[in-house]
Amino acid sequence: MKYTGPYCYTLFLSGEEEKRVLSKKESDGKPTNFKRPLTLTKTPKIYILKSKDKIVYVGYASQSIGTRLSQGIKAKGLNGYHGYKWKQVDELELLVYVFDHELNGGKHKNDKPFTLLAEAVEAELVYKVREETGKWPEFQNEIHFNNEERAWAKRIAGEIYEKTMLELAL
């Protein structure tokens, strides 16, 4: 599975602790909204959040990145989901890598190899952060471990990590 990215944004959050919102997004210092391919649904994405030049969270989504971020920011603990731990940070850098495969959706059996690979990339990337820095990403809640296409997932995670570190250096 090929991918493109990183698509880079600065996110600004505001509001009281229980009423956080994504108040502004910037790209290259200019206000913007998320654009295609980040807005695609049924498309695997790996997204990375950085704060103060450190990777603080790695996630996987197949829905629009705006929808995914909004769900995690607005969550209040219903059904046990409290949302992102990073939602109390006021400014974050977002890097998104988009895979070139459209899923069928609805937990279709043909999607499983692609979602498992993307989740394996997520896990390998989180582990790579741990391996390189000695610490897990600060706000990481969970990762989806599996051994699906492990060598391929590890290679992709290594490429994404290197590209992300280059973005940190710029």
Side-chain angles (χ1 to χ4, degrees), residues 2-11 22 25-27 32-41 43-50 55 57-69 84 86 92-100 118 121 125 156 159-161 163-165 167:
K2 294 179 184 175
Y3 63 90
T4 57
Y7 299 91
C8 304
Y9 293 82
T10 302
L11 307 179
L22 180 53
K25 300 175 281 294
E26 289 182 355
S27 180
T32 190
N33 286 315
F34 293 127
K35 295 176 177 56
R36 188 179 176 94
L38 277 63
T39 57
L40 293 172
T41 60
T43 303
K45 301 164 195 69
I46 296 293
Y47 59 102
I48 299 167
L49 286 145
K50 303 180 311 177
I55 295 172
Y57 184 82
V58 177
Y60 161 76
S62 59
Q63 64 205 116
S64 163
I65 202 70
T67 300
R68 179 67 199 106
L69 294 177
Y84 295 123
W86 54 259
L92 296 147
E93 298 299 315
L94 171 70
L95 291 87
V96 183
Y97 297 86
V98 181
F99 290 91
D100 68 346
V121 170
L125 186 52
I156 293 170
E159 290 172 1
I160 288 174
Y161 183 82
K163 287 181 181 184
T164 299
M165 297 315 290
E167 285 296 321

Side-chain angles (χ1 to χ4, degrees), residues 5-170:
Y7 299 91
C8 304
Y9 293 82
T10 302
L11 307 179
F12 298 90
L13 287 88
S14 60
E16 300 291 320
E17 185 175 329
E18 292 298 314
K19 295 182 181 178
R20 297 292 282 175
V21 294
L22 180 53
S23 55
K24 183 170 76 167
K25 300 175 281 294
E26 289 182 355
S27 180
D28 294 324
K30 298 176 185 165
T32 190
N33 286 315
F34 293 127
K35 295 176 177 56
R36 188 179 176 94
L38 277 63
T39 57
L40 293 172
T41 60
K42 299 180 186 174
T43 303
K45 301 164 195 69
I46 296 293
Y47 59 102
I48 299 167
L49 286 145
K50 303 180 311 177
S51 177
K52 299 177 183 162
D53 293 333
K54 290 186 208 168
I55 295 172
V56 296
Y57 184 82
V58 177
Y60 161 76
S62 59
Q63 64 205 116
S64 163
I65 202 70
T67 300
R68 179 67 199 106
L69 294 177
S70 181
Q71 288 172 342
I73 293 167
K74 292 179 180 179
K76 296 180 179 137
L78 297 175
N79 301 316
Y81 180 58
H82 293 272
Y84 295 123
K85 290 182 178 182
W86 54 259
K87 66 185 177 182
Q88 298 309 317
V89 177
D90 292 331
E91 182 178 332
L92 296 147
E93 298 299 315
L94 171 70
L95 291 87
V96 183
Y97 297 86
V98 181
F99 290 91
D100 68 346
H101 180 80
E102 184 175 348
L103 302 171
N104 294 298
K107 301 199 184 245
H108 194 279
K109 66 179 178 163
N110 292 344
D111 291 343
K112 193 166 187 170
F114 301 102
T115 57
L116 287 175
L117 175 61
E119 288 177 347
V121 170
E122 173 197 32
E124 291 292 346
L125 186 52
V126 170
Y127 182 73
K128 180 77 172 165
V129 171
R130 170 79 162 101
E131 188 176 53
E132 295 293 327
T133 67
K135 297 179 180 180
W136 296 108
E138 182 179 357
F139 300 116
Q140 197 72 39
N141 292 1
E142 65 180 10
I143 49 179
H144 302 100
F145 291 106
N146 68 59
N147 288 311
E148 190 72 23
E149 301 287 349
R150 186 168 178 268
W152 195 13
K154 194 171 184 176
R155 181 183 56 78
I156 293 170
E159 290 172 1
I160 288 174
Y161 183 82
E162 293 303 318
K163 287 181 181 184
T164 299
M165 297 315 290
L166 281 175
E167 285 296 321
L168 279 172
L170 298 178

